[in-house]
Amino acid sequence: MDIAARNDLFVIWVAEQVSDVLWTREIIDRKGVSFAEQDTPLEEVFRRYRIVRCCMD
C-alpha cells in the first residue's frame, strides 16, 4: 500500500504467491483522496483475502 498525501496517487497492490511466482490479483488506485478515505479500500481487501503481510509506504 502506498499512502497518498493531498493530490498524490494512492495504491493498493494485492499479490498472491503461487509456488515461486507472485501473481497480481488486484490493483486499487485513487487520486486526491483523504487519509480517512484510504482506510475503506484497505479494509475491503482484508475482508476479501487472507492477508499474510501488509507493507505500507
Side-chain angles (χ1 to χ4, degrees):
M1 177 176 170
D2 189 9
I3 300 170
R6 297 193 178 103
N7 291 323
D8 293 336
L9 189 64
F10 158 75
V11 178
I12 296 176
W13 194 298
V14 180
E16 178 185 10
Q17 184 169 2
V18 179
S19 188
D20 61 343
V21 178
L22 284 175
W23 293 92
T24 298
R25 295 298 178 206
E26 185 173 358
I27 299 173
I28 301 168
D29 59 344
R30 306 280 187 275
K31 186 169 177 96
V33 295
S34 69
F35 288 123
E37 293 171 319
Q38 294 177 32
D39 288 339
T40 304
L42 184 61
E43 290 170 358
E44 291 171 2
V45 166
F46 269 86
R47 275 194 290 271
R48 280 195 301 273
Y49 300 97
R50 189 177 60 93
I51 304 298
V52 175
R53 180 175 155 188
C54 178
C55 301
M56 294 186 187
D57 180 25

